[in-house]
Every structure is written in structure tokens, then in C-alpha cells.
Amino acid sequence: MRMQGRAMRAVLTTGLVALAAVGCTGSPTPEPTTSATPDRSAPPSPSATPTSAPTQDMTAPPERPDAMATPNADGAAAAASYFISLFPYVHATGDFTEWDALSAPGCQFCSGVRADVVEVRGRGNRTLSSAEVLSASGLEIEANRWYSATLHVSIGPSTEVDPQDAPVREHPAEDRAIDVVMTWSDGWQIDEIGPAATTES
């Protein structure tokens, strides 16, 4: 399960964080570890509001969208987008306040990203990049309980820099489609993140 979690992080964050030691498993679409499986026969509710832009100051935390306050499909899309907008911020600052508040205890992706940031900062370095949510659609699986969201994310080129801001490691820009599985319980919890499932004919 550890390798599966690392593979999911690598698929999403190759252009965002330094994951030089991460390899790929043979599974093309790892299943999120969660108690709910999204019913993809139901149409998703579109909600395409990017929450971060490449020019955003990554040393300032992104603002929570108002839609996050509501447990519905649009709220799920907004919460998932907000969580992804935290990627550049936590890598640039090491501030996990919002990241930890939204991460479910069993989310391997969430804890893995946290560990990656801690490792980079343990070397005295930080990672500079950007993440823009180009589109987001939410899906209600069980009202007031289980939801999912599918995001199209543009990850800008990233650079790990040392304390003097000298480049140490670089990664190219990428576009990724991801699925976010989440729970509502007096607020959102991110249960797992992985590559978006593909529909085969």
C-alpha cells in the first residue's frame, strides 16, 4: 500500500515536488482507499472555478471559497480545488495548518505529500511552483456524507531551492486529471486522491 500511495503522489505531483526516488507500480489507475466508491453513472455537477494561479504569491495561504461551507456536489468541487491550491503553499512555507485540517487520518496521499515536504525542508530547502485548477466537477454519493470530485489541474514547473534560493532540483510543468474522494462530517475531509478513472468502451 505504501508503494501505491507513492505512485499516486508521483502521478499528480511530478511537476510540483521533488520525488526523485519515487517509482511507478504496474497499476494504471490506483483505487482510492476509502469506504465509499463513487457511482460514476450519476452525472457530475460542474463547478469550474480555479482557486490558484501561477502568478499567485505562494507564501500567502489561499482563501477558502464560500462554496466549501455547503455539503453538496458544488461544495465538494470547491473543497477539492482548495485542497489542491494548498500544494504550492505548503511546499513553499512548510505550514500544514489547513492541509492537516482537511486531511483524513487514513489519506495516504495526504500524509505522503506531508512527508515529502518535511523531507525537503529537513535539507534546509523548499519547493517553488504553482497549481491551477482548470476545471472541477463534484459528485454527491450519499447526501451529507460521501462525495467525490474530478479535477483538471495544471501544475507549473517547480524548483527545489536551497536556503540561498539557488536551484537544486527542477521538474517540468504538467497537466493532470485527478479524482478526489471526500467525506462531509461538520466539514470536509479528504479521504484519498488518485489519477482520474478512465471510462473504457
Side-chain angles (χ1 to χ4, degrees):
M1 294 300 294
R2 176 62 177 164
M3 280 303 296
Q4 184 187 53
R6 290 178 70 86
M8 286 194 294
R9 296 200 307 277
V11 168
L12 174 61
T13 62
T14 299
L16 180 59
V17 296
L19 296 176
V22 175
C24 295
T25 66
S27 174
T29 55
E31 291 283 335
T33 304
T34 180
S35 57
T37 301
D39 177 8
R40 299 194 177 280
S41 61
S45 172
S47 177
T49 305
T51 58
S52 65
T55 56
Q56 181 179 349
D57 178 7
M58 290 304 141
T59 62
E63 293 185 10
R64 283 191 173 221
D66 292 339
M68 276 184 65
T70 306
N72 58 20
D74 287 343
S81 298
Y82 173 71
F83 192 70
I84 293 303
S85 77
L86 291 170
F87 268 64
Y89 175 71
V90 298
H91 279 87
T93 67
D95 179 4
F96 296 106
T97 304
E98 284 290 278
W99 185 267
D100 289 347
L102 287 168
S103 299
C107 178
Q108 294 184 29
F109 179 91
C110 308
S111 60
V113 167
R114 195 185 202 284
D116 293 331
V117 175
V118 169
E119 180 181 343
V120 170
R121 297 190 71 81
R123 297 193 290 267
N125 300 341
R126 60 192 177 121
T127 303
L128 306 177
S129 186
S130 63
E132 182 180 7
V133 178
L134 302 179
S135 65
S137 60
L139 179 67
E140 182 179 274
I141 301 164
E142 181 178 329
N144 297 308
R145 189 176 182 187
W146 288 326
Y147 299 82
S148 70
T150 298
L151 310 181
H152 178 198
V153 183
S154 176
I155 304 168
S158 67
T159 305
E160 180 183 337
V161 298
D162 66 16
Q164 288 73 46
D165 285 340
V168 174
R169 188 176 291 107
E170 298 182 349
H171 297 276
E174 294 188 37
D175 279 4
R176 293 292 180 186
I178 61 172
D179 282 341
V180 183
V181 181
M182 48 214 308
T183 303
W184 175 270
S185 179
D186 294 326
W188 293 104
Q189 288 277 278
I190 305 298
D191 296 318
E192 197 54 275
I193 297 178
T198 57
T199 304
E200 297 182 2
S201 55

